[in-house]
Amino acid sequence: LPREYFIGVRVPVLKKFVKEYKKEAESETFLKQLPHTYYEEYMVHILLLGEIKDYDTCMKVVEEFLPYIDNWATCDLPSPRIFARHKEELLPYVRRWMASDQTYTVRYGLGQLQRYYLEEAFSPEMLAWAADISLQEYYVRMMQAWYFATALAKQPQATLPWLEQPGRMEEWTRQKAIQKSRESRRISPELKARLQGCS
């Protein structure tokens, strides 16, 4: 990103600012003012929408915002809290985002799949959804690898075949997922040993 795109305000300061700014009527106007000029404005935007308490309103703001995300740091900030209580309604959006031709929309969708659907809401077919993404952009592939490493920690039986068997996903992504898994503290030594011969 160009240097003039940054003001230089750190994320902890932005988070503190948003806690107060969200109480102001002006914050609702700000959410309608796209595109922004500065990186920090995009960070404030995604932090603000994360505070919206009504699911339908929040989803509308998210959908309006996603086409403007142009970096991984903004994309990967914590998702709206309200999403955790609406997993069933959220899932069709996640699938649509993952099918997008926009790098950070796909990455955002994968991020939600990782956050909300690797525990009680998990289904093995979701691993295929993540593996079958056709967009071969670096920041998408890295998110796929991160997803599979996290999935291995939380759903090892379903996930392990995807990493052990070549051909089930794009090879670079499989190797990166194996690397991330072997570096993770959440993966058992036994699983790491199994993966050692897969790379």
Side-chain angles (χ1 to χ4, degrees):
L1 297 174
R3 185 178 300 172
E4 60 270 19
Y5 186 61
F6 296 88
I7 298 171
V9 183
R10 301 286 185 181
V11 172
V13 177
L14 295 176
K15 288 181 176 180
K16 188 174 180 181
F17 167 75
V18 164
K19 284 185 178 180
E20 296 303 317
Y21 187 52
K22 69 181 182 181
K23 303 170 188 175
E24 305 291 332
E26 180 189 337
S27 66
E28 293 186 21
T29 304
F30 174 80
L31 289 173
K32 297 173 184 175
Q33 295 173 339
L34 287 165
H36 299 304
T37 302
Y38 296 105
Y39 167 82
E40 287 84 355
E41 290 179 296
Y42 286 97
M43 299 294 267
V44 166
H45 196 121
I46 201 165
L47 289 168
L48 272 177
L49 67 82
E51 300 290 333
I52 298 173
K53 292 181 170 57
D54 177 75
Y55 173 77
D56 291 329
T57 302
C58 183
M59 185 56 73
K60 181 176 183 294
V61 177
V62 168
E63 291 263 87
E64 290 170 349
F65 184 58
L66 282 178
Y68 294 95
I69 298 179
D70 62 357
N71 65 88
W72 68 266
T74 301
C75 187
D76 292 357
L77 278 174
S79 53
R81 298 175 186 177
I82 194 68
F83 281 3
R85 299 204 299 271
H86 293 268
K87 292 175 188 173
E88 186 175 345
E89 301 98 314
L90 176 63
L91 193 56
Y93 287 94
V94 170
R95 295 206 67 186
R96 180 158 56 80
W97 295 335
M98 288 166 57
S100 171
D101 61 357
Q102 299 298 309
T103 296
Y104 294 104
T105 299
V106 176
R107 186 177 172 107
Y108 188 81
L110 264 169
Q112 309 320 303
L113 194 71
Q114 177 178 308
R115 282 188 182 99
Y116 299 118
Y117 303 96
L118 280 178
E119 294 179 354
E120 72 279 355
F122 173 74
S123 172
E125 65 182 337
M126 293 174 180
L127 296 165
W129 300 349
D132 291 344
I133 290 171
S134 59
L135 195 64
Q136 293 298 302
E137 296 286 345
Y138 174 80
Y139 286 107
V140 170
R141 294 164 81 188
M142 287 298 289
M143 188 68 199
Q144 285 176 289
W146 185 17
Y147 170 83
F148 274 95
T150 307
L152 184 64
K154 296 188 174 184
Q155 300 290 342
Q157 284 191 319
T159 308
L160 191 58
W162 286 89
L163 301 183
E164 286 189 314
Q165 299 170 14
R168 296 194 72 176
M169 72 172 84
E170 194 275 330
E171 184 61 17
W172 185 94
T173 307
R174 185 178 79 93
Q175 291 297 332
K176 187 60 67 173
I178 290 170
Q179 177 189 331
K180 286 181 174 291
S181 297
R182 293 180 64 193
E183 292 170 352
S184 174
R185 294 180 180 178
R186 296 185 292 180
I187 306 298
S188 70
E190 292 77 16
L191 278 178
K192 289 181 181 181
R194 284 190 65 168
L195 291 174
Q196 190 167 357
C198 299
S199 55

